[in-house]
Amino acid sequence: MIYVVTNRRIERKNLDGRDTEFIANDGKERALPVFRIATVEFPGKDASTARVDLVPDEYVESYAESGDATPLDRVFGSRRMFLDLYRRMKDAPEGKGDTLVFLHGFQYTFEASLEHLKKLEETYVRAEDSPISNL
């Protein structure tokens, strides 16, 4: 699983008859003062096939009742991302549970980020001898 954290606008577009979210190419002058989280999967051989899904976010009064067995669809925003990463790292086979954090450069388009994420996934996540399983 690849997570993307951004302060750019999230928009919807129709791809092959399916509505999907995508991250707009806002410049710094239009970027929002809040962040959103999305997941990215690459079902095809290149970055243009990326499937981007927005992680739902809503205000939650308390997480006191949620624990290790809480289903991911009952938690939101960064809590879902960190709980999922925690579980993936904890349950990973010996030597394969690391997480790689990639910070893109200044004025980097979302498409360029997807291309770079695809290369990082191929180089680190899919490599059998790499300890990285999350991006």
Side-chain angles (χ1 to χ4, degrees), residues 32-79:
L32 301 171
V34 296
F35 69 88
R36 299 288 180 259
I37 298 172
T39 59
V40 177
E41 293 182 62
F42 296 104
K45 294 191 181 234
D46 63 52
S48 67
T49 65
R51 180 179 170 168
V52 179
D53 293 305
L54 186 63
V55 173
D57 197 10
E58 69 180 44
Y59 178 75
V60 177
E61 187 68 39
S62 172
Y63 289 111
E65 305 231 351
S66 61
D68 255 5
T70 302
L72 287 177
D73 64 353
R74 292 198 43 221
V75 292
F76 306 96
S78 61
R79 175 107 171 45

Side-chain angles (χ1 to χ4, degrees), residues 58-122:
E58 69 180 44
Y59 178 75
V60 177
E61 187 68 39
S62 172
Y63 289 111
E65 305 231 351
S66 61
D68 255 5
T70 302
L72 287 177
D73 64 353
R74 292 198 43 221
V75 292
F76 306 96
S78 61
R79 175 107 171 45
R80 179 182 293 183
M81 178 182 71
F82 287 117
L83 181 59
D84 186 31
L85 284 174
Y86 166 76
R87 288 176 180 171
R88 289 173 181 274
M89 293 173 74
K90 181 181 74 145
D91 297 337
E94 182 70 30
K96 190 67 179 167
D98 289 356
T99 296
L100 174 65
V101 177
F102 163 67
L103 301 175
H104 67 73
F106 180 70
Q107 292 187 339
Y108 217 67
T109 67
F110 184 60
E111 289 77 13
S113 293
L114 288 175
E115 289 175 23
H116 203 122
L117 286 171
K118 177 73 173 158
K119 289 177 187 174
L120 290 171
E121 180 190 50
E122 290 169 354

